[in-house]
Amino acid sequence: MAMMMMTRGASRAARSVITVVGPRYFSGVTLANETTATAAAAWSKVLGAGAGAGNVRGGAVGFGKFPVRYKSTATLSEVVEKVEKEEKTAADGGSDGGEKGAVSYWGVPQKKITKEDGTEWKWSCFMPWETYQADLSIDLGKHHQPKNLLDKLAYWTVKSLRFPTDVFFQRRYGCRAMMLETVAAVPGMVGGMLLHCKSLRRFEHSGGWIRALLEEAENERMHLMTFMEVVKPRWYERALVITVQGVFFNAYFLAYILSPKLAHRIVGYLEEEAIHSYTEFLKEIDNGNIENVPAPAIAIDYWRMPANSTLRDVVTVIRADEAHHRDVNHFASDIHFQGRQLNEAPAPLGYH
């Protein structure tokens, strides 16, 4: 009996303490002019409906909800105001304007992006200022002739990879392009990441090469996003993508650490093969073996193409992109072969 009375006494004492100090120590606001009942009601509002019966009794706030203090440095009045605003927003259907929008506690602005003609920009994966018109005048026939052992190793490595690709995809160039882009987007990301870490270790600039390689990776990814609108991969092709990407990422990562000049040369030859593949793709379209469907909307906006563009136009601009990537990677490899570092030569930023 004595033990029970002591326990009840301790509980009452704890509730009394929480009633007095809770609003002061678990909020950034001073409640000198607020009554305990008002503070408890405010905390009940912040902590939710569940706090009304089980967590707020006689003005005391339950222990289970105190982490609110640790989630924010806002004052109690600010938090209550925000909760009320979010409740009103939810009741109105998601936003003040009647349109659905994400409510951000941190106040991250969600700007409305428009095109040059004033129409709303509907893509979140890229912005209008990242779009461009492809340079179709680039020389597609340029080829780096292997001159030394590393060049030959890179060249025949790429040639050996072409054989299983030809066997698997044969003349299904849409699926072939999809697979190609899942691999082609890896080297720029790996190279940019390793150059980023190198720049941090050595406290030196990269000469713009980090950004240049990441631009290449993003451009290749946009190729994939475009082809996903045209080609629907089968389940086993998706499984193949996962396998190939896992193997290629680690292999290229190791190659870049051991020899950046070899790694860039391999990519240069891969891009030459990509140019060849897209040229064959265009021949199949011209021969009527592949339907020349309208260009996806994402391609029209990304490459600033006319509204009546077709799949043939899309393949043409992608082939031009691959030719530019070919030049950038052979150039990077040449810099290393000259015994220099990439940051000693300005990166070809925006080279499309």
Side-chain angles (χ1 to χ4, degrees):
M1 178 66 72
M3 183 64 68
M4 292 178 61
M5 293 180 63
M6 291 176 63
T7 302
R8 291 176 181 174
S11 299
R12 293 194 192 97
R15 282 198 295 270
S16 299
V17 171
I18 295 302
T19 301
V20 176
V21 306
R24 181 179 299 276
Y25 289 96
F26 292 93
S27 163
V29 67
T30 302
L31 301 180
N33 298 324
E34 295 182 339
T35 63
T36 303
T38 303
W43 275 101
S44 177
K45 181 74 174 176
V46 173
L47 300 177
N55 294 315
V56 180
R57 295 173 182 162
V61 182
F63 290 99
K65 298 294 186 177
F66 277 134
V68 169
R69 171 60 180 173
Y70 301 100
K71 294 179 181 177
S72 169
T73 55
T75 62
L76 176 59
S77 58
E78 291 173 343
V79 176
V80 172
E81 181 181 355
K82 175 173 178 56
V83 171
E84 291 175 343
K85 184 177 180 180
E86 289 182 354
E87 288 177 352
K88 184 179 182 301
T89 299
D92 292 342
S95 67
D96 295 336
E99 297 178 356
K100 291 184 178 180
V103 178
S104 173
Y105 171 83
W106 306 107
V108 178
Q110 295 182 339
K111 297 181 180 179
K112 185 175 181 180
I113 309 297
T114 58
K115 298 182 183 180
E116 294 178 355
D117 58 6
T119 58
E120 185 176 359
W121 183 259
K122 61 181 180 180
W123 310 107
S124 59
C125 52
F126 66 100
M127 294 293 110
W129 51 86
E130 297 173 334
T131 63
Y132 63 96
Q133 289 182 318
D135 177 18
L136 303 181
S137 64
I138 189 169
D139 184 1
L140 301 173
K142 283 197 298 186
H143 167 65
H144 178 82
Q145 193 67 31
K147 299 176 181 178
N148 51 51
L149 180 61
L150 282 182
D151 280 357
K152 293 177 180 178
L153 177 61
Y155 179 78
W156 288 110
T157 297
V158 173
K159 284 296 183 182
S160 65
L161 295 175
R162 179 178 173 179
F163 176 74
T165 305
D166 289 341
V167 172
F168 186 83
F169 292 105
Q170 297 181 0
R171 306 198 71 80
R172 293 185 296 122
Y173 285 100
C175 295
R176 185 191 188 108
M178 178 204 65
M179 171 62 73
L180 175 67
E181 299 301 344
T182 61
V183 172
V186 170
M189 182 60 65
V190 171
M193 175 185 67
L194 290 175
L195 286 181
H196 175 78
C197 294
K198 180 180 179 180
S199 174
L200 298 178
R201 290 194 309 270
R202 298 190 176 185
F203 305 97
E204 62 185 15
H205 292 290
S206 69
W209 280 95
I210 296 174
R211 182 177 173 186
L213 293 179
L214 294 182
E215 279 184 354
E216 175 186 316
E218 175 63 12
N219 183 247
E220 297 285 11
R221 192 185 66 85
M222 288 303 300
H223 294 175
L224 175 63
M225 296 299 103
T226 299
F227 279 118
M228 287 297 294
E229 299 293 323
V230 179
V231 180
K232 303 303 179 185
R234 301 179 177 90
W235 68 268
Y236 57 84
E237 290 171 337
R238 290 178 178 271
L240 181 63
V241 166
I242 295 174
T243 303
V244 172
Q245 187 183 81
V247 173
F248 184 75
F249 178 93
N250 289 283
Y252 190 79
F253 181 89
L254 182 61
Y256 204 98
I257 291 177
L258 296 177
S259 176
K261 55 184 152 186
L262 173 63
H264 281 294
R265 190 68 81 200
I266 288 175
V267 178
Y269 286 130
L270 278 174
E271 300 295 357
E272 291 184 16
E273 288 297 324
I275 295 171
H276 172 76
S277 295
Y278 285 120
T279 300
E280 293 298 313
F281 197 162
L282 290 173
K283 289 180 181 179
E284 291 294 300
I285 294 176
D286 293 338
N287 293 335
N289 298 326
I290 297 178
E291 183 181 0
N292 191 23
V293 298
I298 190 172
I300 291 175
D301 285 341
Y302 184 69
W303 284 285
R304 302 179 188 173
M305 301 168 65
N308 61 348
S309 298
T310 63
L311 177 60
R312 191 186 195 286
D313 300 318
V314 174
V315 175
T316 301
V317 297
I318 290 178
R319 183 178 62 173
D321 284 348
E322 305 295 3
H324 286 86
H325 299 327
R326 170 203 63 194
D327 293 351
V328 170
N329 281 277
H330 280 315
F331 173 53
S333 184
D334 288 345
I335 293 173
H336 282 293
F337 270 108
Q338 294 168 9
R340 301 160 61 193
Q341 297 296 317
L342 288 183
N343 60 2
E344 297 178 33
L349 292 171
Y351 180 66
H352 294 298

